[in-house]
Amino acid sequence: QQQVKQSPQSLIVQKGGIPIINCAYENTAFDYFPWYQQFPGKGPALLIAIRPDVSEKKEGRFTISFNKSAKQFSLHIMDSQPGDSATYFCAASGGGTYKYIFGTGTRLKVLA
Amino acid sequence: NAGVTQTPKFQVLKTGQSMTLQCAQDMNHNSMYWYRQDPGMGLRLIYYSASEGTTDKGEVPNGYNVSRLNKREFSLRLESAAPSQTSVYFCASSDPRIGSYSYEQYFGPGTRLTVT
């Protein structure tokens, strides 16, 4: 019940495309869903996060869509650029704890 | 502000050797965490410290010990290293507060450990 399942494992898109990364969770007590971006050789950094009281959140070219009934959330990257090539992790937290449960990651490559 | 710093950046150990990974944060955060990152496994929590003076096991604590030395520092010790502990280790910190929106965790640059 504590797992966060992330797909796909890897993704290749052309510049300008819209990669979509999906995550599913089981614990309905989770109430904070962040996405982290990690470049090679660096630590992960917060990209965008959402609470379950809204269905969508946008920050620049990055959008989280949240479906509470399906217990799923996804990251969309609009007009993707080669500089977006990185590994993306979803996570979930809440239910009386601020610990994260991370997904297994998606390696994104955006071709020029 | 340096944020979260980790030392060393790289380390090679022989099986059975011990070592301590150091982590420090200058953001006055209460909570600190140690993760390991392995290909295809994501980030898995080893130990965490909710506040100075407290530590708790995470998902994969076996073979590790931690010390929350003070509010700034949180160290991870491998008493007898094994090849299965070859990984990249990340320290993180956060300052979750009741009623706050964000549980954001700030990560250090990582320590790449190889056990032969």
Side-chain angles (χ1 to χ4, degrees):
Chain A
Q1 201 181 21
Q2 286 292 92
Q3 280 188 323
V4 176
K5 295 182 180 179
Q6 183 172 348
S7 62
Q9 189 173 359
S10 63
L11 194 52
I12 301 174
V13 299
Q14 295 287 337
K15 178 182 173 182
I18 306 175
I20 301 172
I21 305 170
N22 301 297
C23 285
Y25 63 98
E26 299 171 353
N27 188 343
T28 56
F30 288 146
D31 63 359
Y32 179 70
F33 302 90
W35 285 90
Y36 276 74
Q37 181 187 53
Q38 183 183 30
F39 293 106
K42 305 292 186 183
L46 180 67
L47 184 63
I48 186 173
I50 197 168
R51 291 271 193 182
D53 52 346
V54 297
S55 60
E56 185 175 276
K57 183 175 181 182
K58 291 183 181 180
E59 286 186 5
R61 296 183 294 106
F62 301 91
T63 299
I64 300 179
S65 297
F66 188 85
N67 185 329
K68 189 173 180 179
S69 60
K71 292 186 285 186
Q72 296 175 347
F73 58 109
S74 59
L75 176 71
H76 302 234
I77 305 176
M78 310 303 287
D79 188 26
S80 59
Q81 301 296 313
D84 297 329
S85 297
T87 299
Y88 293 82
F89 293 96
C90 63
S93 182
T97 175
Y98 36 77
K99 295 183 294 181
Y100 286 175
I101 304 296
F102 277 96
T104 50
T106 296
R107 182 172 291 186
L108 171 67
K109 184 165 186 175
V110 181
L111 302 175
Chain B
N1 286 351
V4 179
T5 56
Q6 293 183 235
T7 55
K9 285 185 168 49
F10 301 94
Q11 184 71 48
V12 179
L13 291 178
K14 295 187 188 305
T15 297
Q17 288 184 319
S18 62
M19 79 161 296
T20 300
L21 281 64
Q22 306 286 353
C23 174
Q25 51 92 10
D26 62 1
M27 296 174 282
N28 202 36
H29 285 169
N30 284 309
S31 302
M32 298 185 73
Y33 313 81
W34 276 105
Y35 293 91
R36 60 178 289 173
Q37 183 177 17
D38 303 290
M41 306 283 288
L43 291 146
R44 293 182 293 168
L45 184 65
I46 304 171
Y47 271 93
Y48 69 102
S49 171
S51 60
E52 186 179 356
T54 69
T55 60
D56 284 290
K57 294 178 180 179
E59 183 184 354
V60 289
N62 291 346
Y64 305 95
N65 285 300
V66 291
S67 296
R68 182 75 183 266
L69 304 170
N70 47 55
K71 192 171 186 179
R72 289 187 64 249
E73 298 172 290
F74 188 37
S75 63
L76 178 72
R77 183 160 178 83
L78 286 70
E79 291 290 351
S80 179
S84 62
Q85 295 178 305
T86 293
S87 188
V88 181
Y89 291 85
F90 288 100
C91 177
S93 71
S94 70
D95 194 22
R97 299 179 187 179
I98 294 173
S100 73
Y101 182 87
S102 170
Y103 298 159
E104 180 176 1
Q105 292 187 13
Y106 296 80
F107 283 79
T111 294
R112 187 174 295 272
L113 175 67
T114 301
V115 183
T116 61

